[in-house]
Amino acid sequence: MKEHAVVIAGAGPTGLTLAAELALAGVDVAIVERRPDQQLFGTRAGGLSARSLEVFDQRGIADRFLAAGQIAQLTGFAVTRLDISDFPTRHNYGLALRQRHIERILAAWVGELGVPVYRGRDIIAFAEDDAGVTIELSDGAALRAAYLAGCDGGRSLIRKAAGIAFEGWDATTGNILAEVEMTEEPPLGIHRTALGLYAFGREEYEIRDGKIIFASEGPVGVMVPDGNAGAAAEPTLDDLSQALVAAFGTDYGIHNLKWISRFTDMSRQAAAYRKGRILLAGDAAHVHSPVGGQGLNTGVQDAVNLGWKLAQVVKGISPDALLDTYHTERHPVAARVLRATMAQVALQRTDERTEALRDIVTELLGMDEPRRRIAAEMSGLAIRYDFGEGHPLLGRRMPDLDLATADGPTRLFTLLHDARPVLLNLGAPGSLGITPWADRVKSVDASYDGPWELPALGPVPAPSSVLIRPDGYVAWVGDGTEDGLPQALNRWFGPPR
């Protein structure tokens, strides 16, 4: 029986990111993936948010995604685009990039880090004991791990087998997605009709002046409303044809179906992200409508929150209780995502009362303060973990400052490339003593003369020092003294040596 410290179920964006985080920390991690390769059929997520780009920038791989995608103002709420080009971040935009490309880039990174992937097989059962988890695979083999992470999607076997409740709301609306060939050219773009939203597009496109310009030939991606939101059976070409004829009087000669699927606005969240040695992340922990583009991005950020904590527990640096902070921090974030997506689905209805409501919401979001607040939330830049009262930076993402150090100019995010915590001292060099934690926390003396500004909040007072977790969130803020620093180091990075 092969043994690993951590086994991850699922090589989607969440599982791949978690594997990379653990590998960077020197943890023996492996992935079990049912697909024989990384190929992905069908349309999934279509881009990365500003915060996800920051997260990948913290690891030094953002350029890989930027080279493959198209920068645009993708942040939005329902049908309203929200411009974040005035936000204080290097990535004051979104990146249009299909999930299959995102997975390809992540899989290459995970490969470079030497993570083994057991492909073409499923986890069919597991048994937890005091010392670890024994995992049964569909090919008859077994694995042994200290922890099992379920990143295996909305129908997660790991979640179900662990007996973790998936609470929330059943579907009220549904859509059919497909890729087909058409003998007639359809009206490309999104169409609001009395029957609901319809959309036509092609795999290849360019974004020019904020508008999507689709390729002039090739298979057509189609989205139509599905009157049977609770259907269990897969939709058919005939279902798609009927929906098109009902709205447009023609099905544009659809033929040669490439793939077809449906999605709904079912909104559910795992009651616990952790149960003993079992952990959940991504769609296994939360599902909702894809409107707003939150799903993949929330999963990636789950993984970055969990990775360093799990690594420290596996390596004996921190007590097992550190893993409980994963649920405490990430569960409220996804709860807000569910709230936002449910609100957006409601605003997409096509009756006259919803039209009136949508007009008012659009008017509000045209004002600066509401735009900044909602855009910061939708782009992932407003996340604040509750570490108690204190400086506005506490619990929020650390800005990517241009620092001056003894070794020359440095971007703050480069200090996080190896996924280790950083104590940034902006006061007198050597004035902060962290010797008992020096083996696990990087201490950097630097100066910074620019403004301190946070998305939506605006300017904040300059701190004298900050303790930054490997996920880029601020765990402690100094005011010229070391008050509270030993306690923060002990809480997040284990007892002193």
Side-chain angles (χ1 to χ4, degrees):
M1 186 187 304
K2 289 190 178 176
E3 294 192 18
H4 301 280
V6 179
V7 168
I8 297 169
T14 302
L16 291 168
T17 303
L18 179 57
E21 291 291 298
L22 289 164
L24 282 170
V27 169
D28 174 15
V29 56
I31 303 174
V32 177
E33 167 58 41
R34 68 175 55 170
R35 290 174 289 171
D37 53 41
Q38 204 62 44
Q39 194 168 356
L40 187 67
F41 293 101
T43 296
R44 300 290 196 280
L48 294 172
S49 69
R51 181 57 190 156
S52 293
L53 288 168
E54 285 192 340
V55 161
F56 291 132
D57 205 348
Q58 289 171 183
R59 298 298 180 255
I61 63 164
D63 288 350
R64 302 184 189 192
F65 298 97
L66 293 169
Q70 299 182 68
I71 288 172
Q73 291 299 329
L74 299 179
T75 307
F77 190 83
V79 295
T80 307
R81 282 277 157 254
L82 301 173
D83 192 329
I84 62 169
S85 59
D86 60 343
F87 276 23
T89 166
R90 288 183 205 276
H91 303 290
N92 52 3
Y93 46 75
L95 187 72
L97 186 62
R98 306 276 191 200
Q99 182 171 329
R100 62 187 180 91
H101 298 301
I102 295 170
E103 286 195 16
R104 172 177 53 78
I105 293 165
L106 286 172
W109 184 37
V110 164
E112 290 164 20
L113 294 169
V115 176
V117 183
Y118 297 97
R119 292 197 176 275
R121 53 201 116 173
D122 267 327
I123 293 174
I124 57 171
F126 59 85
E128 182 183 353
D129 55 56
D130 290 344
V133 186
T134 302
I135 301 154
E136 291 181 44
L137 303 184
S138 55
D139 64 353
L143 299 173
R144 179 78 177 161
Y147 292 91
L148 172 61
C151 303
D152 52 339
R155 298 185 178 96
S156 171
L157 177 137
I158 308 301
R159 184 190 66 239
K160 292 172 183 172
I164 297 172
F166 206 37
E167 301 165 346
W169 298 268
D170 290 334
T172 63
T173 66
N175 293 80
I176 295 173
L177 276 179
E179 188 175 60
V180 294
E181 291 184 7
M182 293 182 166
T183 51
E184 303 168 42
E185 181 72 0
L188 299 177
I190 298 173
H191 306 275
R192 182 179 299 282
T193 76
L195 297 173
L197 282 178
Y198 290 74
F200 303 91
R202 287 194 171 91
E203 177 76 16
E204 301 301 323
Y205 64 90
E206 281 184 40
I207 297 176
R208 295 183 210 149
D209 299 325
K211 292 185 179 178
I212 297 177
I213 311 297
F214 290 104
S216 57
E217 50 188 38
V220 178
V222 186
M223 183 188 79
V224 301
D226 180 9
N228 194 358
E234 284 299 300
T236 65
L237 188 65
D238 190 52
D239 293 331
L240 185 62
S241 174
Q242 289 180 33
L244 289 171
V245 170
F248 301 101
T250 176
D251 66 4
Y252 302 99
I254 59 172
H255 63 282
N256 196 12
L257 180 69
K258 308 288 184 186
W259 54 262
I260 191 166
S261 64
R262 60 163 47 93
F263 69 85
T264 72
D265 67 334
M266 180 174 74
S267 301
R268 294 188 179 280
Q269 189 174 17
Y273 282 21
R274 183 218 176 171
K275 186 176 180 183
R277 295 179 176 274
I278 311 303
L279 299 139
L280 302 176
D283 290 354
H286 41 77
V287 296
H288 48 80
S289 165
V291 62
Q294 300 278 82
L296 181 152
N297 293 284
T298 305
V300 162
Q301 290 162 53
D302 286 345
V304 173
N305 183 287
L306 173 60
W308 65 273
K309 295 173 180 175
L310 186 51
Q312 287 186 182
V313 171
V314 164
K315 294 164 84 173
I317 294 169
S318 292
D320 178 80
L322 180 65
L323 290 177
D324 293 332
T325 68
Y326 168 58
H327 172 93
T328 303
E329 291 174 8
R330 293 303 299 173
H331 193 276
V333 170
R336 288 186 71 85
V337 169
L338 261 65
R339 186 186 76 156
T341 54
M342 289 167 72
Q344 291 174 88
V345 168
L347 285 168
Q348 285 190 335
R349 294 184 188 127
T350 50
D351 61 275
E352 291 181 359
R353 286 176 173 80
T354 306
E355 291 279 2
L357 175 61
R358 190 165 49 249
D359 286 346
I360 290 173
V361 170
T362 301
E363 193 176 312
L364 283 170
L365 291 176
M367 301 174 188
D368 224 28
E369 175 62 22
R371 170 190 67 88
R372 284 201 302 265
R373 180 171 296 217
I374 298 298
E377 182 152 340
M378 296 303 295
S379 61
L381 295 170
I383 291 169
R384 179 183 178 271
Y385 299 132
D386 185 5
F387 300 161
E389 296 297 314
H391 191 281
L393 278 168
L394 189 64
R396 296 186 190 273
R397 53 175 274 289
M398 180 68 185
D400 185 22
L401 308 177
D402 286 307
L403 302 170
T405 72
D407 297 325
T410 303
R411 277 177 54 197
L412 184 127
F413 280 4
T414 63
L415 301 177
L416 294 168
H417 282 188
D418 58 1
R420 286 181 63 205
V422 174
L423 177 62
L424 179 66
N425 176 27
L426 299 164
S431 59
L432 295 175
I434 61 161
T435 302
W437 289 273
D439 59 331
R440 63 200 96 138
V441 179
K442 192 186 311 183
S443 184
V444 178
D445 292 321
S447 60
Y448 172 70
D449 299 323
W452 287 80
E453 195 176 355
L454 295 174
L457 283 189
V460 299
S464 65
S465 47
V466 282
L467 179 62
I468 307 158
R469 307 192 317 186
D471 58 358
Y473 288 84
V474 176
W476 172 84
V477 182
D479 57 2
T481 71
E482 292 188 17
D483 290 352
L485 177 58
Q487 292 87 340
L489 288 162
N490 188 74
R491 176 184 182 186
W492 297 114
F493 310 119
R497 189 179 45 180

